[in-house]
Amino acid sequence: MSNETAIHIKKVELRRDRFQLGPLSLEVPKGYVTAIVGPNGSGKSSTFRMLLDLIKPDKGELSVLGHSIADQKDIDWKNKIGYVPELFGSHENKLRASDKTDFVQKWYPNWDVNLYREILRMFEVDDSIRLGKMSKGTRRKYEFALVLAHHPELLLLDEPSSGFDPLAWRSMMSFLHNYMNAGERTILMASHIVDEVKRLADYIVFMSQGRILGMYEKDELLSSWHMFYVNGRELEGRDVRSIPGQCVVEDAGCGNLRIITRQALETERWLEQASIEIMGRQALDLDDILAVLIQQDRQHIRA
């Protein structure tokens, strides 16, 4: 992981009548793509809004690109951030996209009109249309052009491809890859699209019910979480808790057991040394890993 930190979150809490976020602690490395994965209502969007100083945490410390969000005298860091929310407010619906662009570009001294037009052409977006007349996907494409045109150092993307067709999705993925190749830039994104996370992310943060369940390097995560199938009779009399990294041991039917582990190589060695035949194995996908982590978190809370 990079020695430099783009986002620092320390013991942050946000309390609402029916929801509590945190305490959250997270270090987002500079120069990488970090994806937050979790069910709806996990607190992903609230976390983004706190990072943008749109809502205030009740406790804790937040800093972005080395600047404390609590320091209201220093707001220049906001010019270095691009944010695409999951949902857009209706208050701009009567505004033409070009009029919004004219207003927004005045705030950014390094506004790149050529890049803005390039992205609009790539997505086939006409910015003379009123924002309220745009489809969800078209509005998101326009906001991408608007956000990226000032060359932000940090991109915050909340469900970036929501409403995109497959062709636009591929164009967006390619553009974001090129964006990251241009220098020390950072992306923090929240996404439900497994393939999107796999293709873009370097690090993955799992989140549920306002808490962070863990942060992992993507390639290591996907190579280490596996499911093994073994003959249940061969495990009789053995303490399954001694299986390295085991998270779940459950009945798979027909006398077989399913072992879910976060240490695939160590588990395989343990089974071989115990002369237990591996009848099948399968790498877990992100959705499966998240489900196991949520189950473990609930068990921990109950305990």
Side-chain angles (χ1 to χ4, degrees):
M1 185 177 292
S2 171
N3 292 327
E4 295 186 71
T5 300
I7 295 172
H8 172 76
I9 301 174
K10 183 178 180 181
K11 297 180 180 178
V12 165
E13 295 184 29
L14 178 69
R15 299 190 189 96
R16 294 293 184 263
D17 291 340
R18 298 186 180 182
F19 180 74
Q20 176 171 331
L21 179 67
L24 299 180
S25 292
L26 180 66
E27 301 280 340
V28 176
K30 187 176 182 179
Y32 295 93
V33 179
T34 299
I36 302 178
V37 177
N40 290 331
S42 298
K44 302 185 293 294
S45 296
S46 296
T47 301
F48 282 141
R49 291 175 63 80
M50 284 193 296
L51 290 171
L52 292 160
D53 201 28
L54 298 175
I55 54 176
K56 303 287 186 181
D58 297 299
K59 286 185 179 180
E61 302 173 8
L62 289 158
S63 65
V64 174
L65 301 175
H67 301 271
S68 172
I69 293 178
D71 184 3
Q72 294 301 310
K73 296 179 182 179
D74 181 10
I75 60 172
D76 290 342
W77 56 271
K78 290 188 176 182
N79 285 337
K80 301 177 182 179
I81 298 177
Y83 173 52
V84 180
E86 180 181 10
L87 302 173
F88 303 104
S90 59
H91 61 284
E92 297 178 331
N93 282 352
K94 294 182 179 180
L95 196 66
R96 293 188 186 278
S98 57
D99 293 334
K100 180 177 179 179
T101 301
D102 290 341
F103 173 77
V104 168
Q105 67 177 327
K106 296 175 183 178
W107 297 91
Y108 299 102
N110 60 339
W111 177 267
D112 189 340
V113 64
N114 292 330
L115 178 60
Y116 170 73
R117 289 295 168 191
E118 177 188 341
I119 299 173
L120 290 185
R121 285 194 298 270
M122 178 180 73
F123 285 134
E124 298 180 342
V125 174
D126 179 1
D127 66 351
S128 67
I129 300 174
R130 296 188 188 277
L131 294 172
K133 296 294 184 180
M134 290 183 175
S135 67
K136 180 179 180 180
T138 301
R139 175 68 187 274
R140 188 165 294 274
K141 294 170 187 175
Y142 162 73
E143 295 290 342
F144 259 101
L146 190 67
V147 162
L148 288 165
H150 71 273
H151 300 282
E153 187 176 332
L154 171 65
L155 264 182
L156 302 178
L157 306 177
D158 197 352
E159 301 296 339
S161 63
S162 179
F164 275 25
D165 58 80
L167 182 60
W169 182 83
R170 287 194 293 270
S171 297
M172 180 200 72
M173 298 294 285
S174 176
F175 194 92
L176 290 178
H177 277 297
N178 291 333
Y179 165 85
M180 291 300 295
N181 289 335
E184 286 293 303
R185 292 170 169 175
T186 304
I187 295 177
L188 178 64
M189 58 184 281
S191 177
H192 286 91
I193 311 300
V194 170
D195 198 33
E196 189 167 274
V197 174
K198 282 184 177 180
R199 292 196 183 195
L200 277 178
D202 300 295
Y203 295 93
I204 297 174
V205 176
F206 290 103
M207 198 170 182
S208 177
Q209 296 184 330
R211 294 187 304 280
I212 291 174
L213 306 182
M215 180 175 180
Y216 304 87
E217 194 275 327
K218 180 193 66 179
D219 293 336
E220 182 181 347
L221 176 77
L222 295 176
S223 65
S224 60
W225 281 74
H226 277 64
M227 185 185 302
F228 291 91
Y229 292 90
V230 301
N231 189 313
R233 290 189 298 274
E234 295 182 4
L235 267 178
E236 288 180 0
R238 297 181 182 272
D239 184 3
V240 296
R241 292 174 297 180
S242 65
I243 300 175
Q246 66 87 11
C247 299
V248 177
V249 179
E250 59 188 6
D251 182 22
C254 301
N256 297 324
L257 291 177
R258 181 186 299 109
I259 301 170
I260 296 177
T261 176
R262 60 177 176 268
Q263 294 176 281
L265 184 59
E266 291 82 354
T267 298
E268 184 176 12
R269 288 173 179 168
W270 188 93
L271 293 170
E272 289 175 351
Q273 291 171 1
S275 300
I276 297 173
E277 180 185 2
I278 298 173
M279 304 171 64
R281 65 182 297 167
Q282 178 182 343
L284 267 68
D285 218 331
L286 293 178
D287 290 342
D288 302 317
I289 297 171
L290 176 62
V292 173
L293 289 173
I294 290 175
Q295 179 183 353
Q296 289 185 318
D297 183 58
R298 289 172 177 167
Q299 290 172 347
H300 174 74
I301 292 172
R302 287 197 295 267

